[in-house]
Amino acid sequence: MHTPTLRRSARAGLALAASACLLASCQNPDNRPAEETSATTPEASASHSPTSSEPTTAEATETSATESEGPRATAEGHVVVLSTGGTIASTHDKTGAVVPTVTGSKLVEPLSGAFDKDKLTLEVKDIAKLDSSAMTLDDTDTIITAVNKELQRDDVDGVVVTHGTDSMEETAIAVDTFQDSEKPVALTGAMRPFDDPDPDGPDNLALAVKTVTDPANEGRGTFIAFADRVIPARGAFKSDTSKADGFANNNGKKQPQRPKALKYEPLGNTRVDIIAAYPGAPADLIQRSLDSGAEGIVIEGMGAGNIGDELAQAAQAAAKKVPVVLTTRVDHGPVEGIYGGAGGGATLADAGVISSGTLRAPQARMLLAAAITTGTDAEDLFAHAE
Ligand code: ASP
């Protein structure tokens, strides 16, 4: 039986698909099958090139690229782009619905003139073609495994993952948690589809490439590079359903603490449920989850991390059997054990419920799943999110 505790705050008294490769830009005219690679050097100019004001180092460090860039950006090295689907790779079907159809090779085509082809190699692999809301933990495992495989290559300097925005924050923290490499990783995507007259994917992809080739980002883990912002994976979340600038960061200007990388174990068989603790939420939400096989529970509380009395009784009982992590439905600020009463954060802390720190439910779930599958003490892992 584990004995987790939520630390009281100071205020508490207070499917793998095809693979294609290219140099500097991309073509896959022969529709090559999975795992086959090719290299081409087309001369066409990019329709979207990175702007000189784009930051490429994590915004939490309050630094940004200062070099002045002409039409061709200064990224150098060998970058692997892993394409997984999402809006960035989507087009409209006959009914007008948006679905992922586009290969990674096509995604990087607009970047052909954006970088110096003598200095930058882009190698593209298609590993999935999914809307990210349809991803399972098995898909997350596929991505983590693919990223780590590329990071281990001596000839690779960084990895970019193109991904749907809906669950990008989950994949980002999962990759970061198992990233045992100094080489940077960036996830990126788009809010407007590939066939939009003004797609945002090319600029986002260019920013991601610059992010993983920026030496200042070495040793800093995984980022979300999106809409001119480079956000550390930990604490990143989708903050707007429709704006192009759709991601925010819950760490303010602080660089998040990253725990030592966990030795990878598949997440796929681990069930962690998220339970929303709305006012009056019944206790059986937790009991049913445990009865269905949940090995860990994330409770999305209110405010600084408080829940109703009935759910609190169940949470306290559950915390004696499985790790229970408390987060909040509020966008910004830490989860803190301040309040008393059955469901107050301070009471839950005393009962062994673990604070998610600054992480919100989607990322807390991934971190808890990682703790469970690797046999890591969940409280230790979450201590880094404070
Ligand atoms: N539903 C899409 C996805 O997550 C949304 C996007 O990519 O922006 O795959």
Side-chain angles (χ1 to χ4, degrees):
M1 187 177 70
H2 81 112
T3 51
T5 55
L6 180 152
R7 201 163 294 130
R8 283 176 179 241
S9 75
R11 284 166 48 199
L14 283 210
L16 292 179
S19 159
C21 167
L22 74 165
L23 286 170
S25 76
C26 177
Q27 300 284 344
N28 187 15
D30 308 328
N31 249 336
R32 292 183 174 83
E35 298 306 325
E36 190 178 343
T37 59
S38 67
T40 58
T41 53
E43 299 300 325
S45 290
S47 55
H48 294 258
S49 58
T51 63
S52 59
S53 61
E54 283 175 354
T56 62
T57 50
E59 61 179 18
T61 64
E62 296 187 82
T63 55
S64 60
T66 51
E67 75 259 48
S68 94
E69 290 158 356
R72 284 167 196 267
T74 53
E76 284 181 34
H78 187 126
V79 172
V80 177
V81 178
L82 301 173
S83 171
T84 73
T87 297
I88 190 170
S90 292
T91 51
H92 293 84
D93 68 12
K94 276 187 276 184
T95 70
V98 173
V99 284
T101 56
V102 179
T103 62
S105 306
K106 280 274 172 210
L107 290 187
V108 301
E109 266 179 22
L111 270 57
S112 60
F115 297 103
D116 186 337
K117 67 181 183 327
D118 295 329
K119 292 186 174 157
L120 179 74
T121 300
L122 293 180
E123 180 181 341
V124 183
K125 297 187 177 182
D126 292 294
I127 61 168
K129 209 177 270 180
L130 289 168
D131 187 294
S132 72
S133 59
M135 283 184 176
T136 64
L137 287 179
D138 288 333
D139 297 313
T140 314
D141 284 328
T142 299
I143 295 171
I144 296 168
T145 306
V147 167
N148 284 339
K149 188 173 160 201
E150 303 304 335
L151 290 174
Q152 278 163 20
R153 285 172 50 186
D154 288 340
D155 61 331
V156 168
D157 298 295
V159 175
V160 167
V161 180
T162 60
H163 196 288
T165 60
D166 288 355
S167 69
M168 192 181 287
E169 65 213 61
E170 276 112 321
T171 302
I173 195 167
V175 169
D176 189 75
T177 300
F178 292 109
Q179 186 182 342
D180 192 12
S181 168
E182 296 286 295
K183 299 172 188 174
V185 176
L187 276 74
T188 195
M191 296 298 285
R192 297 189 290 272
F194 184 81
D195 60 356
D196 187 277
D198 181 25
D200 52 331
D203 280 352
N204 287 343
L205 187 51
L207 177 62
V209 169
K210 290 168 71 183
T211 299
V212 301
T213 52
D214 186 337
N217 289 332
E218 280 170 22
R220 289 182 169 169
T222 300
F223 302 95
I224 289 180
F226 212 94
D228 294 346
R229 301 178 70 192
V230 181
I231 304 174
R234 278 161 197 274
F237 63 97
K238 187 168 179 179
S239 58
D240 199 293
T241 57
S242 62
K243 279 190 193 152
D245 183 5
F247 281 88
N249 163 24
N250 198 25
N251 284 303
K253 295 290 178 192
K254 264 185 16 201
Q255 183 72 25
Q257 267 189 287
R258 298 177 59 232
K260 192 168 172 298
L262 299 185
K263 192 164 174 320
Y264 174 68
E265 291 289 339
L267 299 168
N269 293 324
T270 316
R271 177 164 169 172
V272 175
D273 288 347
I274 297 173
I275 292 176
Y278 49 87
D284 66 1
L285 292 178
I286 289 180
Q287 196 49 54
R288 282 168 196 262
S289 168
L290 292 177
D291 291 347
S292 302
E295 298 159 80
I297 291 181
V298 172
I299 301 177
E300 188 180 58
M302 296 167 270
N306 305 302
I307 65 179
D309 290 5
E310 209 187 301
L311 198 66
Q313 310 291 350
Q316 293 186 26
K320 295 190 171 74
K321 301 181 196 142
V322 299
V324 177
V325 171
L326 179 65
T327 181
T328 175
R329 66 186 187 182
V330 181
D331 278 353
H332 294 284
V335 172
E336 298 178 300
I338 299 173
Y339 294 93
T347 312
L348 295 173
D350 289 343
V353 172
I354 302 165
S355 167
S356 72
T358 54
L359 301 181
R360 295 311 187 249
Q363 292 202 326
R365 172 176 163 266
M366 297 307 271
L367 204 58
L368 186 51
I372 291 168
T373 190
T374 58
T376 306
D377 184 273
E379 192 183 5
D380 283 354
L381 208 52
F382 278 93
H384 291 267
E386 288 178 351

